[in-house]
Amino acid sequence: MAVTLRDVARAADVSVATASRALAGSSLINHVTQRHVVQVAAALGYRTNTFARALKTKSSRLVGLTVHNLDNASFQVLASVVQARVQAAGYQVILSISGDDAAQEKEILRTLVDHGVDGLIAVPTGANGAQLLAMEHAEIPVICAVRRVEGASLESVLAGDLDGAYNGTRHLLGLGHRRIGLIVGPGETTSGKERLAGYRRALQEAGLPIDPALVQTGRYLPATGVAAANALLSLPEPPTALFVANHESSVGVLRVIAERGISVPQDLSLLFYEDSPWFEWQRPAISVVDSGAAEMANLAVDRLMQRLGGVANSGREYRVGSRLIERASCLNLSNP
Amino acid sequence: MAVTLRDVARAADVSVATASRALAGSSLINHVTQRHVVQVAAALGYRTNTFARALKTKSSRLVGLTVHNLDNASFQVLASVVQARVQAAGYQVILSISGDDAAQEKEILRTLVDHGVDGLIAVPTGANGAQLLAMEHAEIPVICAVRRVEGASLESVLAGDLDGAYNGTRHLLGLGHRRIGLIVGPGETTSGKERLAGYRRALQEAGLPIDPALVQTGRYLPATGVAAANALLSLPEPPTALFVANHESSVGVLRVIAERGISVPQDLSLLFYEDSPWFEWQRPAISVVDSGAAEMANLAVDRLMQRLGGVANSGREYRVGSRLIERASCLNLSNP
DNA sequence: CTGTTAGCGCTTTCAC
DNA sequence: GTGAAAGCGCTAACAG
């Protein structure tokens, strides 16, 4: 059997309570006693029993993290960053993958609560707002990341998608492009909606008409990129630039371009969304609107730690600004 | 406060002990009572308190998972598969990222034990064998995945790297290639060592000399691919095929090829190692030796579940055979 | 500042 | 079959 607090107390010749206080770093304790107990505990190799503590305090030092998958670069970054930061703060993360499925998410949340997570960082499906709110009610802070839950007053850390798409489009516009193809996610998703809106706004501000044929909407899949790029490039008057604001479809777009023997940026300019190591290493290196996954992750952890420290739910939405990273895939039409 | 076993017992008009037995599905209990209790519990929305249970039983229904990072495709797959399977079996996974750092791993293992994980699937750094063995001693089954710990009798699920590299090289040989460049990981790593051995064996069996200039060793990084590919392609008599058995360096190789304007497979054949969605979508689609990350993950979970079910440590090493996936990046020199 | 004490909610002997 | 009761190891009043 492992060494318990009792053993430490006995060895240090104090009561269990004192030992507990010493180890917890309570303020009401003699410094000398404290040092002594800590020393004895270390010598004995004492490790506090997390179950007993949790049973008493209702705090597990566990933090839940749910993401849709680990294929998406942003979610990978989110998982890595959250794991590292949370661990550094003395917590552990329970990772769950929802598959963007509401039913699975429901079950996951339930289990996470069973395991007494102290807090949760979630990329929500959007369908389980009530349950998430119930967690908040049960004093378990919830921070939404990347996606938000409509109508629930949960703290959310989101990307600046509207501005990102707006700035990306303006970049292309500034380079002299007038026909800009957009490949974007479904209109039901926040990011799909916002990125489309950003694109439109930039075009409208430039006094350009919005040609519906230039906008391709589709699921977050490589195949979407294939279909969309083919459709766009087969247009009677094809675009001079493609703004691929649907990250998962990027790889499909790349394939179509290779298959058609199109050279970038001479024949076609390319601007992607959400950076990935692959984009930088591609030749030509691909310019992107970086949505700041690492920054979102960090901010989400910051918020969670605040909340864990007793700060009340602000119900507020935080936005991490996107950033344009110019590489070599966009041609300047103005001064060739 | 949540509803406890006591509440259920009271509502069902039985003792706490009976309620516990009913919910645990104990054999010595009246079927009728059992059904009744289960019903009442469900009606009350009872959820068993995992801390109290764990305090009593020493079992947390938590499984630890440590990987080096989440950038590597194999580790992503490992994490996804383990998470899904373990969850389906009624456990949760605590994810930890070691950064392939021995000190960090040490701390992680300690914390995982503190949290009372029932088992562990680890991609070990190789340096903490004693600690891992201590976990086994403490009845916590440990399954090593992808990497092994030298000299520790831990169950390990590994890739068939020697055979994989051997078969990959033979494939190229069969296509008529005689000068095959190899880009591989450091000789200190098991996979680096084994893949090199497989390459050599295939060459030797074919009665071909091993030209040291054709073998490029380096760390698992994109930059390795850049340096190695440049070195190989600048040779007076450059190779006709590149076998990139250092996954992380693949992207660097791709870049060099694009920069040099080399066309694949006409000018150069390409064979990569460890599949990634990117390889399939690349044009030409890249042939790979797939090391079977998903299969390793599944096997590791299978083994862990067995062990959790009481099966003793076999101390055995399991190998998942690699598989050659032919796509379009290797030219047949024999009948052009 | 320190010790005594009462549980947290559950499982599990041990009687009946 | 079922119930009573004894803790698992810890924290947090409450006294002193």
Side-chain angles (χ1 to χ4, degrees):
Chain A
M1 191 89 292
V3 22
T4 75
L5 230 207
R6 255 182 93 145
D7 301 331
V8 175
R10 201 171 311 157
D13 203 32
V14 293
S15 74
V16 201
T18 305
S20 173
R21 288 192 196 100
L23 265 8
S26 164
S27 49
L28 356 127
I29 194 167
N30 185 306
H31 259 226
V32 183
T33 323
Q34 134 102 297
R35 286 180 74 87
H36 180 221
V37 172
V38 168
Q39 227 155 73
V40 170
L44 260 47
Y46 170 76
R47 310 236 82 205
T48 123
N49 179 321
T50 56
F51 304 138
R53 164 183 290 169
L55 180 56
K56 193 71 202 179
T57 64
K58 266 88 187 75
S59 152
S60 60
R61 314 267 329 155
L62 248 28
V63 163
L65 171 68
T66 30
V67 296
H68 293 351
N69 60 61
L70 286 180
D71 306 325
N72 181 297
S74 297
F75 295 153
Q76 289 163 18
V77 169
L78 184 66
S80 297
V81 172
V82 168
Q83 202 283 326
R85 295 257 341 253
V86 152
Q87 192 165 89
Y91 290 79
Q92 288 298 310
V93 2
I94 296 191
L95 171 72
S96 293
I97 298 174
S98 68
D100 198 7
D101 177 69
Q104 247 189 287
E105 182 181 47
K106 198 177 199 66
E107 183 54 34
I108 285 169
L109 295 179
R110 205 185 316 223
T111 319
L112 253 19
V113 171
D114 284 353
H115 280 281
V117 293
D118 291 349
L120 172 70
I121 292 181
V123 178
T125 64
N128 292 112
Q131 220 172 332
L132 257 6
L133 246 15
M135 288 179 72
E136 279 280 358
H137 237 82
E139 308 278 78
I140 304 171
V142 174
I143 312 290
C144 293
V146 186
R147 286 216 198 168
R148 136 187 68 192
V149 178
E150 221 67 57
S153 89
L154 296 163
E155 287 197 23
S156 313
V157 177
L158 307 171
D161 277 327
L162 201 151
D163 281 353
Y166 172 77
N167 290 328
T169 309
R170 283 195 43 137
H171 174 61
L172 261 7
L173 251 15
L175 257 25
H177 294 274
R178 287 299 168 263
R179 286 187 66 71
I180 301 171
L182 177 72
I183 300 177
V184 70
E188 305 91 69
T189 65
T190 314
S191 66
K193 205 178 331 189
E194 295 193 348
R195 292 180 192 178
L196 177 56
Y199 168 85
R200 298 182 100 120
R201 193 169 84 190
L203 251 41
Q204 273 160 353
E205 280 187 14
L208 257 30
I210 288 160
D211 183 348
L214 286 178
V215 176
Q216 294 284 333
T217 312
R219 300 185 53 204
Y220 295 107
L221 292 173
T224 302
V226 175
N230 274 322
L232 256 13
L233 296 173
S234 303
L235 248 29
E237 197 188 345
T240 60
L242 245 42
F243 188 5
V244 185
N246 173 329
H247 181 71
E248 280 76 1
S249 75
S250 306
V251 69
V253 172
L254 246 23
R255 164 163 156 184
V256 169
I257 285 168
E259 282 177 339
R260 292 185 171 235
I262 293 172
S263 69
V264 175
Q266 292 76 26
D267 302 344
L268 182 70
S269 288
L270 234 38
L271 180 61
F272 283 4
Y273 213 114
E274 292 180 44
D275 202 13
S276 145
W278 285 88
F279 298 163
E280 184 182 351
W281 291 88
Q282 203 83 22
R283 281 305 93 152
I286 298 172
S287 298
V288 300
V289 175
D290 175 18
S291 55
E295 289 77 6
M296 278 193 271
N298 273 308
L299 184 49
V301 174
D302 288 342
R303 290 308 313 151
L304 185 64
M305 289 305 157
Q306 292 267 326
R307 299 289 314 282
L308 253 15
V311 176
N313 178 5
S314 71
R316 220 171 278 280
E317 197 175 288
Y318 297 82
R319 292 275 180 170
V320 170
S322 63
R323 205 163 61 87
L324 181 75
I325 302 179
E326 283 190 63
R327 297 210 262 246
S329 62
C330 296
L331 187 69
N332 190 338
L333 259 30
S334 315
N335 63 339
Chain B
M1 190 86 296
V3 19
T4 75
L5 230 208
R6 254 182 93 146
D7 301 330
V8 175
R10 201 171 311 158
D13 203 32
V14 294
S15 73
V16 197
T18 305
S20 173
R21 289 191 194 101
L23 266 9
S26 163
S27 49
L28 355 127
I29 194 167
N30 185 306
H31 259 226
V32 183
T33 323
Q34 133 103 292
R35 287 180 74 87
H36 180 220
V37 172
V38 169
Q39 226 157 71
V40 170
L44 258 47
Y46 169 76
R47 311 234 83 205
T48 124
N49 179 319
T50 55
F51 304 138
R53 164 181 291 168
L55 180 56
K56 199 70 203 178
T57 64
K58 266 89 187 79
S59 152
S60 61
R61 314 259 342 148
L62 248 28
V63 163
L65 172 68
T66 29
V67 296
H68 292 350
N69 60 62
L70 284 180
D71 306 325
N72 180 297
S74 297
F75 295 153
Q76 289 163 18
V77 170
L78 184 65
S80 296
V81 172
V82 169
Q83 201 284 327
R85 295 260 338 254
V86 152
Q87 192 165 89
Y91 291 78
Q92 288 298 310
V93 3
I94 297 192
L95 171 73
S96 293
I97 297 174
S98 68
D100 198 8
D101 178 68
Q104 246 189 288
E105 183 182 47
K106 197 177 200 66
E107 184 53 35
I108 285 170
L109 295 179
R110 205 184 316 220
T111 320
L112 252 21
V113 171
D114 284 352
H115 280 282
V117 292
D118 291 349
L120 172 69
I121 292 181
V123 178
T125 63
N128 293 113
Q131 220 172 334
L132 256 7
L133 246 14
M135 288 180 71
E136 280 281 357
H137 237 82
E139 308 279 77
I140 304 171
V142 174
I143 312 290
C144 294
V146 187
R147 286 218 199 168
R148 139 188 66 191
V149 179
E150 221 68 56
S153 89
L154 295 163
E155 288 197 24
S156 313
V157 177
L158 307 171
D161 276 327
L162 200 153
D163 282 353
Y166 172 74
N167 290 328
T169 309
R170 282 194 45 136
H171 174 61
L172 260 8
L173 251 14
L175 258 24
H177 293 274
R178 288 298 168 264
R179 286 188 66 72
I180 301 172
L182 177 72
I183 300 177
V184 70
E188 306 90 69
T189 64
T190 314
S191 67
K193 205 178 331 189
E194 295 193 348
R195 293 181 192 178
L196 176 56
Y199 167 84
R200 298 182 101 121
R201 193 168 83 190
L203 250 41
Q204 273 159 353
E205 279 188 14
L208 256 31
I210 288 160
D211 182 348
L214 286 179
V215 176
Q216 294 284 334
T217 312
R219 300 185 55 203
Y220 295 107
L221 291 174
T224 303
V226 174
N230 273 322
L232 257 13
L233 297 174
S234 301
L235 248 29
E237 197 188 345
T240 61
L242 244 44
F243 188 5
V244 185
N246 174 328
H247 182 72
E248 280 76 1
S249 75
S250 307
V251 67
V253 172
L254 247 21
R255 165 164 155 185
V256 169
I257 285 169
E259 281 177 339
R260 289 183 171 238
I262 292 172
S263 68
V264 175
Q266 292 77 26
D267 302 344
L268 182 70
S269 289
L270 233 40
L271 181 61
F272 283 4
Y273 213 114
E274 292 180 45
D275 202 13
S276 145
W278 285 89
F279 298 163
E280 183 181 352
W281 290 88
Q282 203 83 20
R283 282 305 93 152
I286 298 172
S287 299
V288 300
V289 174
D290 175 20
S291 55
E295 288 77 7
M296 278 193 272
N298 273 308
L299 185 48
V301 174
D302 288 342
R303 290 307 313 150
L304 184 64
M305 289 306 156
Q306 291 268 326
R307 299 288 314 282
L308 253 15
V311 176
N313 178 5
S314 70
R316 218 171 280 281
E317 196 174 288
Y318 297 82
R319 291 276 180 169
V320 170
S322 63
R323 205 163 61 87
L324 181 75
I325 301 179
E326 283 190 62
R327 297 210 263 247
S329 62
C330 296
L331 187 69
N332 190 338
L333 258 29
S334 315
N335 63 340

